[in-house]
Each structure stands twice: as structure tokens, then as C-alpha cells.
Amino acid sequence: MGKTSTQEFHLPLAQITQSPIDCTLRYLEYRKQEHHGDCAHLGLEYSGVAPFEDIASRELAAPRREPTPVSSPWCVTLLSPAATLAQLQQLLRFFADRDWPVAAVDTLAQRRDCTVLRFQLAADLEFSAAKHACLQLARDIGADLVLQPGSSQQVPALAGFDMDSTLIDAEVIDELARISGIGDEVAAITEAAMRGELDFRQSFKKRMALLKGFSETRLAEIAAQLPLKSGADRLLGALRALGCKTAILSGGFTYFANYLQRERLPVDFVHANQLAFSDGALTGDVIEPIVDGLRKRELLQQMAGELGLGLEQVIAVGDGANDIPMLNLGALGIAIHPKPKVRLEAPQSIGSFGLDAALYLFGLNDQQIERLL
């Protein structure tokens, strides 16, 4: 094993695919300039032989403070926990094979455990087919690839969030069932609903009936122990700093959503299901209207109207099948750690990182994010 070197190479974008040597990718910066040459700035970390011979190089440069303004019709963002030159090469070949010209590349994150590259594409493509092709390549290279319209690379004005398994790392109804000793039975119903195999309203009523008699005192104890999803506080904090309104739109319960809003997260609005109590315990009954997938979409659209916002200023974030209607409403619909069905049907998805990775899809880099926080 030779000495480890970190170098920035200056070369045409197309030439990047020609090296047979793999190594760690640190960053890539590129601007297509018709009359001033075609030169990319590629930061690599390698041992032994350099990946590119007879190519001008220098020590790694400091990250750019501001990403290039988006002017292309489409963007693809690579989010990798361990970025490599081989990943980049496969992605550049993927673009070339489809005749998707790369107009610019910005590095939005270049940490050891997170490299984020945003590619602007001057391409004429059909979104659904292109998205599924990106999902397949993402599986092949072990990273996330997010396709979105270039116009959506902006900070939203309203963001709607699912709660269970999205803002918190738990399914509350499953927790209640586990404590009641019926965890497996209720979890199986929840999983079927989240996979889209069972109607949410039916599954909700079945699960609530099984929880009859659960103590209200225990609910308060559970609320205080609910773990936040990784990155939830950073994402909600950044959105608040940017002036974006946020809402919990949950098929879970107002009891827990209100606790999150009051004690844990900067949330502006809460819409969820109400619990019915009698003599300090759950009755097992359901209070209408149930917040199911269609209700979430209706509520998000209604809030946008009340705030005087167009849907191009609205995004949604969720993980389950009952989130799909609202994920397909606005400028972005981001599925976070989604079920397989949701990954295929949501416009965008992130599987390798926490919620705060959504900030890269708004066009922000690490330096801008840290200033916000």
C-alpha cells in the first residue's frame, strides 16, 4: 500500500470515466463553458499510483461557499455515504448513454461519511421512466440518486410531514400495542397498511379496537420517550430559519403530535387523529374524520391555499403508502427510508441519510446549512 495522497485533478468531464483505478471521491466541480474549454475540478484521495497520469493536479481546494444557480431543466443529486471514483464513473456513463448532457456539477457536501454532488442536466426526459432508471442505478452503486425538476431546487414555503417513522423513529400505535402485550398482532396490521396491502382506514379501526382500555397516564410517559428521526431537528430548525411553514400531517395521534410541537420540534401546524377516552383509558373507538392518505393531501392543499401559496412552493415528506397522495401534490415529494412500494411511487426518495439530507434538494450546501443552524 503506497502513501495516501489527496489531489485535485483538472480534466475534461468525459475523461473522468477513463481511469481503471478506483479511489475515494471527495468532490467534483464543473461548469460547461462553450468557448473556454471543458474542464472539471475533481478531488480524489488515493494510495499508490495516481488515477490519472499526466493530468495537472494540486492540493484539494476549499469547498465553494455558494453553489451555482440552477438554470437547467433537471437535476440529479448523488448522496453517497462512501463516495468513490467508480460510482462517479458509472453515473457519468449513465448520463452519456441516455444523452443527458451535464451542464454543471456542484459539491454540496464533502464529509467523510457523506458526499453530495448535484448534477444539472440540459436534458429532455420523461420523469417517471428517468426516475426509475435512477433508482435502479442507485441500487447498483449503493447510493441515493434523486431526480427533480431544476425549478424545485429552492427553499419551500410550506412543508408537510408525516410523523410516525418520519419525524419520529417509531410507530406509536405499535408501541402502545407492544406495551399492551398485543404487539405482534398490531404490528402485522401496521406493516400491511404501510406496504399498501390494506386500506388505512380499515387497519386504523382494527388497531384502535385492540387498544381499548390503554391507560392515559402511560401515554404521557411514552410521548416523552419517543426518539426523533435522525436529522429531524436539523431539518425543522433550518426550515424555520428560512421562513418555511411546517405541518405534521399524521395518521397517528394529536396527543403525540402536539407533544412534539410543544416540546421537541419547531412545527407550525398539527393535523392528526384524536384519541377517545373514558375513565382515563382509551375506548377503542375512532373519532372521525380519520386522517388517511387522501385527507393528508387535502389538508396540505388547503393550508397552501390559506397561506396564498402555489403548489410549486409546497413539499411533502413521508415514508408509508398513506403518504403517497401528498407526496405527489407539490414541487417535491420526499420519501425518507421508504417501504419498497413507496420508493417506487414517490417522486423523490432518500434511503441512506437522515431527514436533514432533504436540505440538499433545496440547493443548499453544508456551509449554508451550518450558517442557518
Side-chain angles (χ1 to χ4, degrees), residues 212-231:
K212 182 178 180 178
F214 195 93
S215 164
E216 187 173 1
T217 304
R218 295 301 307 279
L219 293 179
E221 298 171 3
I222 292 166
Q225 297 171 6
L226 291 174
L228 292 181
K229 193 81 163 183
S230 171

Side-chain angles (χ1 to χ4, degrees), residues 171 173-174 177 182 185-191 193-194 199-212 251 284:
E171 291 286 335
I173 202 165
D174 290 352
I182 53 172
E185 187 176 354
V186 169
I189 298 172
T190 301
E191 275 296 308
M194 297 299 282
D199 174 77
F200 179 82
R201 292 177 60 86
Q202 294 174 329
S203 73
F204 186 70
K205 289 180 177 180
K206 282 185 177 182
R207 289 176 290 175
M208 286 308 302
L210 291 170
L211 291 171
K212 182 178 180 178

Side-chain angles (χ1 to χ4, degrees), residues 20 81 86 112 147 151 161 173 180 201 218 280 299 301 364:
R112 287 289 178 184
L147 173 67
S151 60
F161 290 88
I173 202 165
S180 301
R201 292 177 60 86
R218 295 301 307 279
L299 287 165
Q301 191 162 11
L364 301 173

Side-chain angles (χ1 to χ4, degrees), residues 131 135 138-139 143-144 335 338-346 349:
K131 179 193 75 173
L135 288 176
R139 281 191 290 266
D144 286 322
K339 310 296 187 291
K341 172 185 172 69
V342 184
R343 186 171 184 265
L344 291 175
E345 296 192 25
S349 66

Side-chain angles (χ1 to χ4, degrees), residues 48-69:
V49 179
F52 300 97
E53 296 180 2
D54 302 323
I55 296 292
S57 66
R58 65 181 185 187
E59 292 299 311
L60 293 189
R64 289 174 59 90
R65 293 188 178 275
E66 303 292 337
T68 306

Side-chain angles (χ1 to χ4, degrees), residues 34-201:
E34 298 293 344
H35 306 294
H36 301 283
D38 180 15
C39 187
H41 304 278
L42 177 64
L44 299 173
E45 181 177 317
Y46 58 94
S47 298
V49 179
F52 300 97
E53 296 180 2
D54 302 323
I55 296 292
S57 66
R58 65 181 185 187
E59 292 299 311
L60 293 189
R64 289 174 59 90
R65 293 188 178 275
E66 303 292 337
T68 306
V70 174
S71 58
S72 298
W74 298 99
C75 290
V76 168
T77 303
L78 167 74
L79 304 100
S80 176
T84 65
L85 178 57
Q87 283 182 333
L88 174 60
Q89 290 173 326
Q90 284 182 262
L91 183 55
L92 291 175
R93 292 190 192 104
F94 173 82
F95 292 151
D97 290 346
R98 285 158 180 77
D99 193 24
W100 295 353
V102 177
V105 187
D106 285 282
T107 299
L108 305 182
Q110 57 181 91
R111 306 191 303 274
R112 287 289 178 184
D113 60 346
C114 177
T115 301
V116 180
L117 304 182
R118 184 191 66 196
F119 297 78
Q120 293 191 46
L121 303 179
D124 181 15
L125 56 82
E126 195 280 314
F127 178 75
S128 181
K131 179 193 75 173
H132 286 97
C134 286
L135 288 176
Q136 180 59 58
L137 179 62
R139 281 191 290 266
D140 294 343
I141 66 176
D144 286 322
L145 286 175
V146 182
L147 173 67
Q148 66 186 107
S151 60
S152 68
Q153 276 264 324
Q154 62 177 354
V155 177
L158 173 64
F161 290 88
D162 174 47
M163 180 175 67
D164 294 37
S165 295
T166 298
L167 288 177
I168 59 174
D169 205 10
E171 291 286 335
V172 170
I173 202 165
D174 290 352
E175 281 297 299
L176 305 185
R178 182 184 60 79
I179 293 168
S180 301
I182 53 172
D184 291 345
E185 187 176 354
V186 169
I189 298 172
T190 301
E191 275 296 308
M194 297 299 282
R195 290 193 302 267
E197 298 169 2
L198 189 64
D199 174 77
F200 179 82
R201 292 177 60 86

